[in-house]
Amino acid sequence: MSKIIQWIDQRFPLTTFVKHDLGEYPTPRNLSYWWNFGFLAGFVLVVQIISGIFLAMHYKADAGLAFDSVDHIMREVNYGWLIRYLHSTGASAFFAVIYIHMARTLYYGSYRAPRELMWWTGQVLLLMLMATAFMGYLLPWGQMSYWGAQVITSLFRATPFIGDEIVIWLRGDFAVGDATLTRFYALHYLFPFLIFGMVMIHLIALHYVKSSNPSGINLAAKDNIPFHPYFTVKDLYGLGLFLIIYCLFVFFSPELFIEPENNIPANPMQTPPHIVPEWYFLPFYAILRSVPDLLGGVLAMGTSVIIFAAMPYLDRSKIPGGARYRPIYRIMFYLFIIDVAVLTYLGAQPPTELLTVVGQVATFIYFAAFVSLPFVSKAEEKWLRRRGLPPAIEELIRCEAQERSAKSGK
Amino acid sequence: MKLTNATLILLLTFLLAPTQLLASEQQALRDVEIGHQPEEIKRGALVALNLCVLCHSLKYVKYHNLQEIGFLPNEIEPFLRGREMSQGILSSTTHESANDLFGMVPPDLSLMAKARQNGPRYIYSLLLAYHEQENSAIENTLFPDVKMPDVLGYSVEEDETMRLEMEQMALDVSAFLAWAADPRAEERRSMGKYVIAYLVILTLMLYLVKRKTWARLG
């Protein structure tokens, strides 16, 4: 055995890799459980890919057969119901985990230098995840699948000059139909592997800049501990907790994530009473609906997703530790979370006059949080410094400066 | 800890928002517990095969699937009407004559219990929501202008025992349709109990290992 490994090591850095990036990889010892969610996201990705491949063995991407083939999976394929519910619940789990992962990054300011590229690759991952989920949702070919795709693809009509052409190009037909289904299927199968590749880039960046931590600065070497066994076991424990919650949904309430309407085969002649996207798209959908103009709505929705990328520039405060040591930023963070929850709720409601106004206010707050951040964060820093920073933070800032000058001196 | 609570609330909001929506638009469904017992499901199957199948199909339920709820092959045979055991249950009315009668083909019932919010309770309530009006027209309060006639005859029945019997039929057929829409539910729940028990023990052990490992750091 050791001979074989030796043979490989002369040709490929296997042992070095395992030692450097898995075993001894230095990890801040003060990481809280909020740092478990990146690993969980990777785990869910693997669950989705594996369950997806098994579904693909029985699924038929044909407008005449798709709905029946899903029912065949549910009734006749051995443990088909399990594979399908793992996959349909997994989609929601993926977003839940990713949103918490993002919230953690925002709270602790982990997007700050030198981790901007981690944040941006993460942003790309979010977009790819959304595209994958959206295309996957068409595949069962139920009413909500069909009309969801119909509504979302028609948003591209807002493109100036060539709107109609773009919509037809996306659908492969004048309306969502067989051509749309087959292309969505092809891409739904492809994207997870692109995501996998992007995760690798995300991880290479991570292992270069190392994990952020609750203190908000890079810790001195003595405060780092080897990844194995400390974080392997911590991640596994977190995985256990996650699996309990996930399996409770899969085994006891899997239909919670499937709209009743989607158990009716797609019918292009009959629009459902109201079309609701999946819960993970609701805040963005609410923003779309809050803007009366189609182009404006689409732009607002697109911006609301990618505006996160600007965070490293919008946040001008030099105080480390994100919301932890910054009371005003902390309040903003919680208000933002509440605002997103309100938008989520609104996205699921049939629009009324009152709710539209609430939606517009919530949309305004959503963007105001980002737009005001440069000024607020600067003012907050000034105020905090004038008031006098607690010695612990002074110490952190000193350490950070020292670290930086040591690096640039090299 | 503060963050933990906030995120839990956030997570719950995300999870519950869609359910909230649908709960808010719940019409007045009858408050009833739909059974899971094999006898109820089998009685309901007989109601469906004798009555509902006159107009509706159950195309995803195959005749031989009825064996899973306690039918013997010779009990199924009378309902086959020339079809194979391995074929789905079809309606005895053709699409053309259904179109002539109702102006539409009555929807397939295989997934009906999952295709409506609170499906089984909805079906039960729908079947019993027929009322005779002043002008002796029959009206369904849950689904006004429904094209399905009062198939149980509940709206015009005055005898109390007969009415109770019809309520029982509605209850049984709802139990059957709940099974028909999700025949693996029982298997899923019983497997789920073992899976959760296993995961809880595993997680507990991982927690202990984690605590022991981290104790080394002092």
Side-chain angles (χ1 to χ4, degrees), chain B residues 30-48:
Chain B
R30 283 175 181 247
D31 197 13
V32 67
E33 193 72 45
I34 307 290
H36 296 291
Q37 297 308 317
E39 316 85 70
E40 293 167 283
I41 295 175
K42 190 175 172 186
R43 280 201 311 265
L46 288 170
V47 177

Side-chain angles (χ1 to χ4, degrees), chain A residues 54-249:
Chain A
F54 279 98
L55 286 174
M57 294 177 189
H58 304 281
Y59 173 75
K60 302 219 166 29
D62 177 307
L65 302 172
F67 192 88
D68 288 358
S69 74
V70 172
D71 198 80
H72 168 70
I73 290 170
M74 294 295 287
R75 287 170 201 267
E76 269 120 33
V77 173
N78 284 332
Y79 295 106
W81 57 267
L82 179 58
I83 303 168
R84 195 226 173 172
Y85 282 149
L86 283 172
H87 201 73
S88 63
T89 312
S92 283
F94 211 152
F95 278 97
V97 166
I98 285 294
Y99 286 160
I100 294 174
H101 190 58
M102 284 174 70
R104 188 273 287 160
T105 310
L106 289 173
Y107 185 89
Y108 287 103
S110 311
Y111 48 77
R112 290 196 332 151
R115 296 190 180 79
E116 298 97 322
L117 276 178
M118 293 222 59
W119 184 234
W120 292 335
T121 48
Q123 173 86 60
V124 174
L125 279 168
L126 175 67
L127 292 174
M128 297 205 295
L129 179 64
M130 287 177 152
T132 311
F134 168 64
M135 293 186 293
Y137 196 58
L138 182 67
L139 306 186
W141 205 243
Q143 273 287 70
M144 208 52 95
S145 301
Y146 182 89
W147 289 97
Q150 189 82 1
V151 168
I152 301 298
T153 49
S154 73
L155 294 179
F156 288 87
R157 187 157 291 147
T159 321
F161 308 118
I162 50 165
D164 288 334
E165 283 78 7
I166 296 254
V167 174
I168 294 170
W169 180 74
L170 284 173
R171 292 176 180 164
D173 203 340
F174 294 104
V176 170
D178 194 62
T180 325
L181 178 62
T182 41
R183 65 185 51 196
F184 274 28
Y185 181 54
L187 295 175
H188 184 71
Y189 206 116
L190 168 69
F191 267 46
F193 299 99
L194 299 183
I195 291 180
F196 199 87
M198 191 46 98
V199 168
M200 288 301 141
I201 296 175
H202 196 64
L203 287 180
I204 291 171
L206 173 69
H207 282 225
Y208 188 65
V209 298
K210 305 283 186 282
S211 292
S212 65
N213 68 81
S215 82
I217 67 151
N218 289 330
L219 298 180
K222 71 172 169 41
D223 292 318
N224 286 311
I225 50 180
F227 192 81
H228 184 74
Y230 298 106
F231 287 97
T232 33
V233 67
K234 192 172 175 181
D235 275 346
L236 284 176
Y237 166 53
L239 178 63
L241 291 177
F242 166 80
L243 282 177
I244 292 174
I245 299 173
Y246 175 54
C247 286
L248 280 173
F249 282 115

Side-chain angles (χ1 to χ4, degrees), chain B residues 135-155:
Chain B
N135 57 359
S136 71
I138 310 277
E139 184 41 40
N140 190 301
T141 46
L142 189 58
F143 186 159
D145 303 323
V146 68
K147 295 208 180 75
M148 172 162 76
D150 179 4
V151 287
L152 295 176
Y154 189 69
S155 57

